[in-house]
Amino acid sequence: MEIKILGSGCSSCNDLLKRTEQAVKELGVEASFEKVTDMKQIMSFGVMKTPALVVDGKVKASGRVPSVEDIKKILK
């Protein structure tokens, strides 16, 4: 599973990364993580509000930081 966190590196972006890492650990799945801070790359996903969570190339959440439980549901 390939996970990307899109955002400028703000505290919300960092929270999303931490929660996503925790969700992956709790699910026991393997995933690679990438933080994307380049605005052109972020916009290429059609994201207008950050932070955003992208799983295997598909935007799953944007403009908010979902709970660990919500992220686990997204990843299943």
Side-chain angles (χ1 to χ4, degrees), residues 11-49:
S11 62
S12 293
C13 301
N14 293 331
D15 287 345
L16 179 57
L17 176 61
K18 288 177 188 173
R19 290 181 187 187
T20 305
E21 288 173 334
Q22 182 178 343
V24 165
K25 183 178 179 181
E26 289 180 15
L27 288 173
V29 297
E30 290 203 20
S32 62
F33 289 88
E34 180 183 352
K35 287 177 78 174
V36 179
T37 57
D38 179 70
M39 289 310 286
K40 285 183 182 176
Q41 273 189 289
I42 291 170
M43 292 179 76
S44 75
F45 284 96
V47 169
M48 299 309 281
K49 289 188 176 184

